[in-house]
Amino acid sequence: MNFLITGAAGFLGAALANRLAREGHQVRGLDDLSTGDPQALSPDVLFTRGDVNDRPKLWTLLQDVDCVYHLAARVSVPESILYPREYNAVNVGGTVSLMEAMRDVGVRRVVFISSGAVYGDQGAQPLKETASPNPRSPYAVSKLAAEYYVRTIGDLWGIETLSLRVFNAYGPGQHLPASHPPVIANFLRQAVRGGTLVVHGEGNQTRDYVFVDDVVRAMLAAATAPGINHAVINVGSGVETNVRELVRLVLEVANSKAEVIYNPRTDPGVSRMCADLSLAREKLGYQPRYSLAEGLRLTLERDARFRREVPTRPLKSP
Ligand code: NAD
């Protein structure tokens, strides 16, 4: 099949693009490289640098494409609180531009990568797709608005649409910015370097951490699954883990004695998050394969940034 992936040079985009290319598909990737790294892409992926709001570029890239994966986005919850306009322009505006261009060219299917963040604080766990969304950040609002745009424009123009609400994905190659880094990549780096792990709040907040290879399998199934038009489907591990337990696992897997500090003054965010996977099982045949401990071990193994410096023996003096 012919695919276009927006946000292809990012963490999830590159993992997906490389997997599709390995399976012999034709893969085009678009990314403005605001955070992405084109070196992460296999040479078999045809990469174009560009903005997801650039419709003329999209018209060219969409020729003969069977399915689009839309991942291009700004992805930090705390950053979105500081720059909501930018999050709206890229995450919502970019989605509308893409849907318009798909309409113009006549592409048949789009898989939109949404987020578990759209649920916000809910009473009952695990979270079913039927729960009423309760977004708590501009990032979460932008993902929810984009879901609605994808579905509505798709409906109006006969484009099949599917939104995957991915929970907290982690794994090798995840972007590690200086401010507001994602929790697992940050903890692993600190553990390996013997730095400090700083936990927001008391560490009782829970998340559903899902390994990148599991997310990629769900995304692959989404391209061809029958009877999924309009569907919104959770993709997670189905396991609820609190941050204290995450810290314990990170230190154990990294064999680290790094210091841990709890900062009660910083906002721990949404209190509980865990995905109900019944719909993903039914519609995509999805079953997560990796436990958090296994995923952490593989991340350490595969990502050179987390390799410990091996002390070299001093050279003998002549
Ligand atoms: P990422 O930052 O690594 O990937 C996003 C990519 O989009 C980057 O490569 C960036 O350069 C690119 N991009 C940003 N603005 C762009 C623009 N205007 N035009 C073209 N490209 C642009 O983040 P990720 O974790 O790989 O996330 C990928 C997608 O998955 C995002 O849509 C994100 O919201 C969604 N998601 C991620 C997670 C997670 O835990 N990683 C969870 C839920 C949803």
Side-chain angles (χ1 to χ4, degrees), residues 4-18:
L4 173 67
I5 303 175
T6 72
F11 163 51
L12 295 179
L16 173 66
N18 293 343

Side-chain angles (χ1 to χ4, degrees), residues 94-129:
T95 302
V96 176
S97 300
L98 174 68
M99 292 305 293
E100 254 192 61
M102 284 182 60
R103 172 202 67 188
D104 296 344
V105 175
V107 180
R108 300 277 299 280
R109 184 179 276 209
V110 59
V111 178
F112 170 57
I113 306 306
S114 182
S115 168
V118 303
Y119 291 110
D121 270 312
Q122 304 271 342
Q125 303 285 330
L127 298 160
K128 279 191 179 293
E129 293 84 349

Side-chain angles (χ1 to χ4, degrees), residues 73-252:
R74 306 298 302 255
V75 303
S76 158
V77 167
E79 194 188 60
S80 78
I81 295 167
L82 298 174
Y83 308 109
R85 261 188 315 135
E86 197 170 323
Y87 273 67
N88 188 64
V90 177
N91 297 8
V92 184
T95 302
V96 176
S97 300
L98 174 68
M99 292 305 293
E100 254 192 61
M102 284 182 60
R103 172 202 67 188
D104 296 344
V105 175
V107 180
R108 300 277 299 280
R109 184 179 276 209
V110 59
V111 178
F112 170 57
I113 306 306
S114 182
S115 168
V118 303
Y119 291 110
D121 270 312
Q122 304 271 342
Q125 303 285 330
L127 298 160
K128 279 191 179 293
E129 293 84 349
T130 46
S132 196
N134 182 21
R136 281 196 33 175
S137 65
Y139 169 73
V141 172
S142 74
K143 285 289 172 182
L144 185 60
E147 275 186 16
Y148 283 126
Y149 269 119
V150 163
R151 183 192 157 131
T152 306
I153 298 175
D155 230 12
L156 291 167
W157 295 96
I159 303 166
E160 277 191 309
T161 64
L162 170 60
S163 293
L164 298 180
R165 288 184 179 162
V166 177
F167 281 62
N168 282 63
Y170 69 96
Q174 188 161 25
H175 183 52
L176 243 175
S179 64
H180 313 305
V183 62
I184 288 192
N186 185 37
F187 280 0
L188 283 175
R189 177 177 58 183
Q190 295 302 89
V192 168
R193 289 184 182 171
T196 302
L197 280 63
V198 181
V199 176
H200 302 309
E202 308 282 337
N204 297 324
Q205 67 273 32
T206 65
R207 294 290 179 270
D208 179 321
Y209 299 106
V210 56
F211 189 57
V212 57
D213 291 12
D214 281 331
V215 180
V216 167
R217 270 186 308 105
M219 293 195 283
L220 288 184
T224 51
I228 48 79
N229 194 16
H230 294 161
V232 171
I233 303 179
N234 289 338
V235 176
S237 66
V239 177
E240 187 175 9
T241 306
N242 72 31
V243 176
R244 286 174 184 268
E245 173 64 3
L246 172 66
V247 165
R248 192 191 66 73
L249 274 174
V250 164
L251 295 179
E252 184 184 298

